């Protein structure tokens, strides 16, 4: 009974994956400028009590699929001193492909040297009011997030990757009581875009044969499964088809041939966009084979090999 329930769950898993194998995607990370280079003037705190402002805020609406975001800034003393930050352009140049480790990007971005200290606090909607109304000057307080917050800093590139959705505010404060400052600031999000990979006619035919092979395997028609796997392989080599043929070979006792095929399949799978998904699927399939054929030592060895590819 336990084996039957496992088999039913496994068949549902196989059917859900069939569509996943037929759709392949490529992922790319691109920059999206949220706040163009903006120049702001803030008076010193004491002078602002008569006119003007020593604090301001910038609203940041993070777009869907944001994986991280950055702001860069540089300061000047007094009202003058507009500076070109070019944060968006620099991020675009550094994001060469989706495999780029964005944790290393900030160190590659150049910012003009600043002249005056500024405090910038990352606040949510509930706390930006407290910041703007200076609760802290009257015995009150407001909360801010340490990631995304800098204090007494003249210029910086700030990376935020723990907070990737929603609406946020950068509360900007001139900490000086008397000297005004000008700040140039730019905000850019890194967004992950996923697009469907266009397939050739041979790839599409291979997938159709591969899905037929999978159906025959699920019906325990292993010879038919192998037949349609071979038809698929003649059109185009697909990792999951090679694995499926290897599974069928295991089930009919051709362990040596199956082992060689599973090894070949790894080299094909590693070149495919959805390689992690295919490896996990292969491991679950091997679990099923082992459950019904406990003495099949080669299946356990192959499973260990595929686990090492995670």
């Amino acid at each position: 009974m336990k084996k039957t329930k496992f088999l039913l769950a496994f068949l549902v898993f196989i059917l859900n994956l069939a569509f996943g194998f037929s759709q392949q995607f490529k992922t790319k990370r691109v920059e999206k400028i949220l706040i163009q280079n903006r120049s702001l003037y803030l008076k010193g705190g004491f002078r602002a009590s008569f006119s003007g402002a020593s604090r301001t805020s910038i609203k940041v609406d993070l777009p869907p699929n944001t994986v991280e975001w950055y702001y860069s800034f540089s300061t000047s003393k007094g009202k003058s001193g507009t500076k070109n930050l070019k944060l968006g352009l620099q991020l675009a140049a550094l994001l060469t492909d989706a495999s780029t480790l964005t944790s290393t990007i900030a160190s590659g971005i150049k910012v003009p040297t600043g002249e005056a200290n500024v405090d910038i606090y990352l606040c949510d909607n509930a706390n930006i009011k407290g910041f703007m109304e200076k609760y802290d000057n009257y015995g009150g307080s407001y909360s801010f997030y340490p990631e995304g917050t800098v204090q007494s800093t003249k210029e910086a590139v700030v990376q935020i990757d723990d907070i990737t959705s929603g609406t946020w505010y950068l509360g900007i404060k001139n900490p000086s009581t008397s000297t005004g400052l000008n700040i140039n600031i730019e905000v850019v999000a890194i967004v992950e875009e996923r697009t469907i990979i266009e397939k050739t006619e041979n790839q599409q035919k291979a997938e159709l044969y591969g899905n037929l092979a999978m159906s025959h395997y699920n019906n325990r028609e292993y010879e038919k499964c192998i037949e349609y796997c071979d038809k698929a392989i003649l059109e185009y080599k697909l990792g999951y088809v090679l694995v499926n043929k290897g599974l069928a070979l295991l089930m009919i006792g051709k362990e040596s041939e199956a082992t060689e095929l599973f090894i070949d399949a790894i080299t094909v799978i590693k070149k495919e966009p959805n390689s992690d998904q295919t490896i996990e699927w292969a491991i679950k399939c091997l679990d099923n084979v082992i459950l019904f054929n406990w003495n099949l030592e080669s299946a356990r060895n192959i499973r260990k090999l595929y686990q090492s590819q995670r």
Side-chain angles (χ1 to χ4, degrees):
M1 185 66 179
K2 186 178 179 181
K3 285 186 177 182
T4 303
K5 286 182 178 179
F6 183 90
L7 179 60
L8 288 172
F10 176 73
L11 292 177
V12 171
F13 174 76
I14 290 289
L15 291 172
N16 288 337
L17 276 178
F19 178 75
F21 285 132
S22 65
Q23 293 291 332
Q24 290 188 341
F25 300 89
K26 60 181 177 181
T27 301
K28 184 180 181 182
R29 289 184 175 181
V30 298
E31 83 290 346
K32 191 167 186 177
I33 297 175
L34 305 184
I35 306 294
Q36 292 277 4
N37 192 353
R38 185 176 294 182
S39 182
L40 303 167
Y41 175 70
L42 295 174
K43 285 189 172 183
F46 178 73
R47 293 182 182 275
S49 63
F50 297 99
S51 65
S54 63
R55 301 187 185 197
T56 190
S57 66
I58 293 177
K59 182 182 179 184
V60 179
D61 292 310
L62 296 176
N65 304 315
T66 294
V67 292
E68 60 185 357
W69 54 291
Y70 295 80
Y71 67 87
S72 68
F73 66 90
S74 184
T75 60
S76 304
K77 292 180 179 179
K79 291 185 177 181
S80 61
T82 300
K83 300 179 180 182
N84 293 320
L85 298 172
K86 298 181 180 179
L87 176 60
L89 289 173
Q90 292 186 73
L91 283 171
L94 291 168
L95 280 171
T96 54
D97 56 48
S99 65
T100 301
L101 294 175
T102 49
S103 60
T104 65
I105 285 180
S107 61
I109 297 172
K110 306 300 180 185
V111 183
T113 302
E115 300 171 358
N117 285 326
V118 69
D119 298 338
I120 302 180
Y121 300 90
L122 178 59
C123 299
D124 58 19
N125 184 61
N127 286 283
I128 195 62
K129 180 182 179 182
F131 169 81
M132 291 300 297
E133 295 187 2
K134 303 182 180 180
Y135 285 5
D136 49 314
N137 286 353
Y138 305 102
S141 64
Y142 55 85
S143 295
F144 57 87
Y145 290 82
E147 184 192 44
T149 292
V150 294
Q151 294 175 298
S152 299
T153 306
K154 295 177 180 179
E155 79 280 330
V157 178
V158 181
Q159 178 192 30
I160 302 148
D161 56 12
D162 286 342
I163 297 167
T164 57
S165 63
T167 297
W168 300 88
Y169 296 84
L170 296 176
I172 306 170
K173 172 187 173 183
N174 182 355
S176 172
T177 58
S178 57
T179 306
L181 68 81
N182 188 81
I183 179 171
N184 281 88
I185 187 166
E186 186 173 347
V187 184
V188 180
I190 303 299
V191 177
E192 199 165 74
E193 294 181 348
R194 195 171 75 152
T195 56
I196 295 175
I197 298 174
E198 295 296 329
K199 299 172 185 175
T200 65
E201 185 178 332
N202 293 92
Q203 285 176 287
Q204 293 177 43
K205 286 181 71 175
E207 286 174 357
L208 292 172
Y209 283 130
N211 291 338
L212 279 173
M214 193 177 288
S215 295
H216 285 296
Y217 182 84
N218 293 337
N219 291 328
R220 302 185 185 183
E221 298 166 352
Y222 303 122
E223 296 290 352
K224 274 288 184 183
C225 171
I226 293 169
E227 177 186 337
Y228 280 103
C229 283
D230 287 337
K231 288 179 183 290
I233 292 165
L234 284 174
E235 295 292 339
Y236 190 89
K237 274 192 175 183
L238 295 168
Y240 83 93
V241 172
L242 295 175
V243 169
N244 202 10
K245 182 179 177 181
L247 293 167
L249 288 169
L250 282 175
M251 297 303 287
I252 62 174
K254 295 185 177 180
E255 297 180 49
S256 178
E257 190 177 342
T259 300
E260 291 299 319
L261 197 61
F262 273 104
I263 292 171
D264 290 342
I266 289 175
T267 61
V268 175
I269 292 168
K270 288 296 183 181
K271 297 175 185 177
E272 295 177 341
N274 303 328
S275 58
D276 290 343
Q277 180 188 20
T278 309
I279 291 291
E280 290 302 319
W281 170 77
I283 291 170
K284 288 185 181 297
C285 288
L286 288 163
D287 284 339
N288 186 60
V289 170
I290 293 165
L291 179 67
F292 287 88
N293 302 271
W294 182 249
N295 293 323
L296 207 56
E297 185 66 28
S298 56
R300 288 198 290 276
N301 291 334
I302 294 166
R303 187 185 187 282
K304 289 177 184 177
L305 177 63
Y306 271 68
Q307 282 184 308
S308 71
Q309 302 303 308
R310 283 173 162 168

